[in-house]
Amino acid sequence: MREGECLTGSWTNWCFTSTVLWEAGLGRPGDHLKICPQGSTCCSQEMEEKYSLQSKDDFKSVVSEQCNHLQAVFASRYKKFDEFFKELLENAEKSLNDMFVKTYGHLYMQNSELFKDLFVELKRYYVVGNVNLEEMLNDFWARLLERMFRLVNSQYHFTDEYLECVSKYTEQLKPFGDVPRKLKLQVTRAFVAARTFAQGLAVAGDVVSKVSVVNPTAQCTHALLKMIYCSHCRGLVTVKPCYNYCSNIMRGCLANQGDLDFEWNNFIDAMLMVAERLEGPFNIESVMDPIDVKISDAIMNMQDNSVQVSQKVFQGCGPPKPLPAGRISRSISESAFSARFRPHHPEERPTTAAGTSLDRLVTDVKEKLKQAKKFWSSLPSNVCNDERMAAGNGNEDDCWNGKGKSRYLFAVTGNGLANQGNNPEVQVDTSKPDILILRQIMALRVMTSKMKNAYNGNDVDFFDNSDESSGEGSGSGCEYQQCPSEFDYNATDHAGKSANEKADSAGVRPGAQAYLLTAFCILFLVMQREWR
């Protein structure tokens, strides 16, 4: 119950009487009160209990508001990015289909499933991740070579065994020029970065959503009651809690949330690094928009070099068997491959996917990521900045300090569980980290590791699947050792600290590190599968 509600709610008489009686010095002894000061008071035990429930609800509401805003930011950006990516793939497939129908006509229609399969696999990679992009693209080019080889040598009969031999010469002969190599590199890096970035947005929103539901301990609830409503029992209905007083209570009540800050900042930095890749060499929009042109260029290259390619294949795989005379002419007429690539006109291409561009999306997300840094270490202050919770910093003498209307004299404690041993307002058990918070810390660590791989262009999920038995690959192997990676960034204020200092800053006492290390390893295996 806040002051504005007090005068119109069900406790009107109590609020009014509290002030009048106190000013008249007619309050009764407070021996019956359990939490509030037991001097002269105008609150009954029932009133104190109701105030306790209300203070708990007020706290949960303000924290939820702070977190819900951030969670909504990540959820909306993930949705927009997801829509953009899927529509980008649809536009690219439609553009390729339209171009190839006009350019190659019936021949393309006879072989269109090859290209449809390519986009099915690309979409499956984005949605599921269980696709080895390099192998998939190698298979696409091998299958395309088989089809093309038949078309340019339609006077011969080729068995499946012979075509398998042909596909073995793909790398050696380079029938499609350098297009397959370049496209494989571009597609792999761009898709890995885009999918991992989208995953990161989803994970961030999920972490915030789970942590935003706070269940204050009994000690925290007592401190909240004393801070928010015990002043009412002394007749000080309009006096708000001192800011530093509020800060100590919030840092005690949100001690476990404060331990998220170190990994959260690492995660945000990793997201920003991948965002820069998306704006530059790993820009999936610049890869997918002209993919039809690139594949058609490769086909034209194969057509131009078909004689030399065929001769070398015949030398390596043996001379093929000619078709009977009657079937040769029919085969040639049915599969004559004489289409030439038509000039590309940019204005004919679809506009942007999802009504935006990747650059605009990434620029917006980067700004939100920067604003989200140090969110958890700033949460206690942000809660106290709410006018419902505390007086402003400039009102240090006329505020409620837990006992009366006076300056609050205690120093403000640090953030995180390890710093609460000397909290003057909230008794916190620093030996028992919250298991939910530990799970979210591990989720952030796993995702940060995936970001490192994506930043370096590695196929994150493929490494996860293939290396689970050895404990190496994405999201593993680098958790507690130095990784030989190009990925390098300044974590936050914690950069340069020793291992023990980092543990302390994350709310982990040195004596508890061995225990938590084991717990993290177990949680990691769970989270690695959860976020795949």
Side-chain angles (χ1 to χ4, degrees), residues 262-516:
F262 179 72
E263 288 301 334
W264 175 263
N265 292 336
N266 282 348
F267 165 77
I268 294 295
D269 286 331
M271 288 282 287
L272 288 169
M273 294 295 289
V274 175
E276 290 183 7
R277 291 293 210 200
L278 287 174
E279 290 178 318
F282 297 178
N283 188 312
I284 193 168
E285 191 171 25
S286 65
V287 171
M288 292 307 297
D289 269 353
I291 195 170
D292 49 3
V293 178
K294 294 176 182 179
I295 294 176
S296 191
D297 284 343
I299 292 174
M300 291 301 108
N301 192 79
M302 167 64 183
Q303 185 179 1
D304 292 339
N305 299 301
S306 60
V307 175
Q308 299 93 313
V309 171
S310 297
Q311 288 176 349
K312 291 182 180 179
V313 170
F314 293 161
Q315 292 174 4
C317 299
K321 295 180 180 180
L323 289 171
R327 293 180 58 188
I328 291 178
S329 60
R330 185 172 67 253
S331 177
I332 293 176
S333 64
E334 289 177 353
S335 61
F337 193 78
S338 59
R340 302 302 303 175
F341 174 60
R342 298 178 183 180
H344 163 58
H345 299 289
E347 64 273 12
E348 295 179 0
R349 303 191 66 79
T351 54
T352 57
T356 185
S357 69
L358 183 64
D359 287 341
R360 285 197 290 270
L361 282 176
V362 173
T363 298
D364 173 65
V365 172
K366 283 174 62 178
E367 185 62 30
K368 301 303 180 184
L369 287 170
K370 292 174 183 177
Q371 294 173 4
K373 282 197 69 173
K374 300 184 179 180
F375 175 81
W376 303 106
S377 60
S378 301
L379 184 58
S381 298
N382 289 335
V383 170
C384 292
N385 285 334
D386 191 303
E387 62 180 8
R388 294 170 292 178
M389 301 300 289
N393 266 320
N395 191 15
E396 298 179 4
D397 293 319
D398 296 324
C399 55
W400 172 253
N401 65 8
K403 296 180 179 179
K405 183 180 178 182
S406 182
R407 176 181 288 268
Y408 182 73
L409 301 177
F410 292 101
V412 177
T413 63
N415 279 298
L417 195 62
N419 290 315
Q420 302 313 308
N422 297 319
N423 192 314
E425 305 301 336
V426 186
Q427 184 179 353
V428 181
D429 186 350
T430 60
S431 66
K432 294 182 180 179
D434 186 276
I435 190 66
L436 173 65
I437 299 298
L438 291 180
R439 285 177 63 89
Q440 304 319 305
I441 289 174
M442 187 51 61
L444 293 171
R445 285 191 177 185
V446 170
M447 203 63 237
T448 299
S449 182
K450 289 189 175 187
M451 288 291 169
K452 293 179 181 180
N453 280 314
Y455 177 82
N456 292 322
N458 295 329
D459 196 340
V460 178
D461 286 300
F462 175 66
F463 286 160
D464 281 350
N465 293 333
S466 63
D467 293 330
E468 276 184 351
S469 60
S470 65
E472 298 176 355
S474 169
S476 178
C478 295
E479 296 300 331
Y480 303 106
Q481 60 185 353
Q482 184 69 30
C483 298
S485 168
E486 297 174 1
F487 194 92
D488 185 26
Y489 60 89
N490 292 323
T492 50
D493 296 340
H494 299 264
K497 289 187 179 181
S498 67
N500 284 344
E501 286 175 321
K502 289 183 178 180
D504 288 343
S505 64
V508 182
R509 297 183 303 172
Q513 288 181 38
Y515 166 78
L516 291 179

Side-chain angles (χ1 to χ4, degrees), residues 3-20:
E3 179 188 351
E5 301 169 341
C6 175
L7 299 179
T8 57
S10 59
W11 295 341
T12 302
N13 292 334
W14 273 110
C15 293
F16 177 74
T17 305
S18 294
T19 304
V20 173

